[in-house]
Amino acid sequence: MTSGWDSVPSPYVELSRDAWRALRESTPLPLTPGELDALRGLRDPIDIAEVEDIYLPLSRLLNLFFLSDTRLRDTVSGFLGGHVEPTPFIIGVAGSVAVGKSTTSRLLRTLLARWPEHPTVELVTTDSFLYPNAVLTERGIMDRKGFPESYDRRALVRFVSSIKAGAREQSIPVYSHLEYDVVPGAAQTVRRPDILIVEGLNVLQAPPAGALGVSDFFDFSIYVDARVEDIRQWYVDRLFALRRTAFTDPRSYFHKYAHELDEDETAAFAQRVWRDVNEINLVSNILPTRARATLVLHKDREHAVQRVRLRRI
């Protein structure tokens, strides 16, 4: 099973890595290797060459969209005969577990914040809108964490719609990957940024009939794509890396897996979780939303983006 490109007529322009790289033009590299190390996710081999070839052209494109949005607002202001207050430009980033969407989001936040037109860029993840473990357990869906029903969709839509409406300040819950749960009493405060990046598995999912979805408020959306077989291996590799690092912390929800399982048992556990949870969620809920994205980044086995699809305007 793969997540390869469909052969039907496409609403996208497809570009090779070389063609995409050329679109960087003179965009400067505002990032050092040390800063990239701090942004890179666990087991994500992204390097400066990848930033230059893929993410600088993307940063340039997003800046052009941002400026176009500003001009459109000025046009509407002129039409209405009054001033229209600016609201955040919202970018959605979707993709599977372990595909690298978190690294993509952190990297874009840093690159976009260094353009002179939008110094304030905020990043939120939909993990903040997962129901607490106690609620998931009560509803019998603890083993479906990450599936659409495990999120407080209404709270997420309320947050994004408030930000898009120009709310000066909004607070959202904080999710701890170490504790594998929402942190009681903790909050992240978002104060009307120039750009808001919303990253999550299902941010491009279509809403129920008659309802608004979070993607309805996006000005631009990105889907990070790869073959299912490759993502599976990345997930297994990442779990082994976590077993040697984060899982050794006594506070970790998965602490027992750092000591109680040997290498073969860990591999079997990772393959089982992927097969019974993550792959089902990917194929049933996440991958079908790829066609809704403005832009698709397709990675090869080595995590390098080789093809880019940009929706025709």
Side-chain angles (χ1 to χ4, degrees):
M1 183 184 300
T2 69
S3 61
W5 305 105
D6 298 330
S7 58
V8 298
S10 171
Y12 290 92
V13 176
E14 183 169 338
L15 299 103
S16 67
R17 183 184 179 97
D18 288 343
W20 180 256
R21 179 196 298 122
L23 299 176
R24 170 189 173 181
E25 292 194 349
S26 59
T27 305
L29 175 63
L31 193 71
T32 67
E35 289 174 316
L36 179 58
D37 286 342
L39 298 171
R40 184 188 293 115
L42 191 65
R43 299 292 299 177
D44 192 332
I46 186 172
D47 56 17
I48 285 292
E50 187 78 357
V51 175
E52 292 177 327
D53 291 354
I54 304 301
Y55 293 97
L56 288 184
L58 180 52
S59 169
R60 175 174 175 250
L61 177 64
L62 289 169
N63 187 57
L64 291 172
F65 265 78
F66 176 87
L67 295 176
S68 177
D69 189 66
T70 301
R71 290 191 293 269
L72 178 59
R73 184 176 61 248
D74 292 341
T75 299
V76 173
S77 295
F79 172 75
L80 294 175
H83 178 65
V84 175
E85 286 291 329
T87 58
F89 185 86
I90 302 182
I91 301 167
V93 180
S96 171
V97 168
V99 79
K101 64 185 180 301
S102 295
T103 297
T104 293
S105 299
R106 290 191 295 266
L107 183 54
L108 287 176
R109 177 184 58 185
T110 300
L111 294 175
L112 290 170
R114 295 179 182 181
W115 283 88
E117 293 85 0
H118 33 79
T120 306
V121 183
E122 293 273 9
L123 168 62
V124 302
T125 74
T126 57
D127 289 342
S128 293
F129 295 91
L130 283 163
Y131 287 113
N133 288 353
V135 174
L136 297 176
T137 300
E138 179 184 350
R139 297 183 180 183
I141 57 172
M142 186 63 182
D143 61 346
R144 291 177 69 81
K145 180 180 276 195
F147 282 67
E149 62 268 29
S150 66
Y151 294 91
D152 188 342
R153 187 189 66 83
R154 290 185 178 87
L156 174 59
V157 171
R158 282 197 303 270
F159 163 71
V160 178
S161 64
S162 295
I163 289 294
K164 194 62 179 174
R168 292 190 175 277
E169 184 175 292
Q170 288 285 298
S171 293
I172 61 174
V174 172
Y175 183 84
S176 168
H177 286 277
L178 183 68
E179 299 174 23
Y180 198 58
D181 203 356
V182 176
V183 180
Q188 175 186 353
T189 301
V190 179
R191 295 182 175 87
R192 200 161 67 178
D194 298 305
I195 294 176
L196 174 67
I197 299 172
V198 181
E199 176 253 308
L201 300 172
N202 295 297
V203 294
L204 294 179
Q205 188 173 47
L212 285 172
V214 64
S215 62
D216 290 315
F217 301 95
F218 292 164
D219 298 289
F220 195 99
S221 55
I222 299 165
Y223 186 95
V224 184
D225 190 34
R227 297 171 70 247
V228 173
E229 291 84 352
D230 293 336
I231 305 173
R232 178 192 300 122
Q233 188 59 54
W234 298 341
Y235 174 78
V236 172
D237 291 345
R238 189 177 73 174
L239 190 138
F240 269 94
L242 288 168
R243 180 173 176 265
R244 296 189 298 269
T245 54
F247 291 177
T248 63
D249 189 322
R251 297 170 298 168
S252 172
Y253 180 86
F254 297 100
H255 179 60
K256 65 179 181 180
Y257 296 112
H259 306 288
E260 295 181 7
L261 301 183
D262 62 24
E263 295 277 316
D264 291 339
E265 291 170 326
T266 299
F269 170 74
Q271 293 283 358
R272 184 172 64 254
V273 172
W274 173 263
R275 181 188 67 241
D276 296 343
V277 180
N278 293 318
E279 185 168 352
I280 293 173
N281 195 22
L282 171 58
V283 174
S284 300
N285 300 308
I286 304 168
L287 187 55
T289 72
R290 183 180 64 188
R292 294 169 55 84
T294 314
L295 180 138
V296 181
L297 299 173
H298 184 77
K299 294 184 172 185
D300 65 13
R301 183 177 298 180
E302 305 304 321
H303 263 285
V305 174
Q306 296 297 338
R307 287 175 287 173
V308 178
R309 272 188 168 182
L310 177 62
R311 183 176 289 278
R312 301 174 194 272
I313 303 300

